[in-house]
Amino acid sequence: MYVGALELDVLLGDVHSLKQKRSAVRPVVAELRRRFAVSAAEAGHLDLHRRALIGVCCVAADPGHVTEVLDSCERLVAARPELELLSARHRMLGPED
């Protein structure tokens, strides 16, 4: 079993309140869950208006599949015009860990 985790640090565009932030981040998290069958959540920068940390996790029997899914998730977020992807951090845990 392989577990992959992805942290996406994003900068939001024209956002002036936490309510606007939620309305921008929530659809992205829902689309990640729906399209890629991963666990996803807003996991950091909860008190900042224009920044968000989105966490994504994938479990599979093949490490290549985990990498492929997480790379696809990163590309989806990077392609969103209302978000600027500042950084992406990948982690992988396998049977030897």
Side-chain angles (χ1 to χ4, degrees):
M1 175 178 76
Y2 293 88
V3 179
L6 174 63
E7 290 180 350
L8 301 165
D9 190 5
V10 296
L11 181 65
L12 304 168
D14 190 27
V15 172
H16 301 290
S17 70
L18 292 176
K19 186 175 182 178
Q20 287 179 323
K21 175 186 175 180
R22 280 193 310 273
S23 68
V25 172
R26 189 177 294 154
V28 175
V29 170
E31 185 174 2
L32 288 167
R33 289 177 182 164
R34 188 183 74 251
R35 284 187 63 183
F36 302 109
V38 295
S39 293
E42 183 180 356
H45 305 309
L46 300 175
D47 57 343
L48 301 176
H49 297 309
R50 295 197 59 219
R51 294 275 300 274
L53 183 69
I54 299 172
V56 182
C57 183
C58 178
V59 178
D62 177 36
H65 179 69
V66 172
T67 301
E68 181 182 318
V69 169
L70 294 181
D71 286 346
S72 296
C73 290
E74 182 179 344
R75 283 192 300 272
L76 181 134
V77 172
R80 298 292 290 241
E82 71 274 16
L83 305 175
E84 179 183 345
L85 182 59
L86 300 176
S87 68
R89 183 175 180 188
H90 293 253
R91 296 183 192 161
M92 179 81 74
L93 295 172
E96 62 279 347
D97 294 325

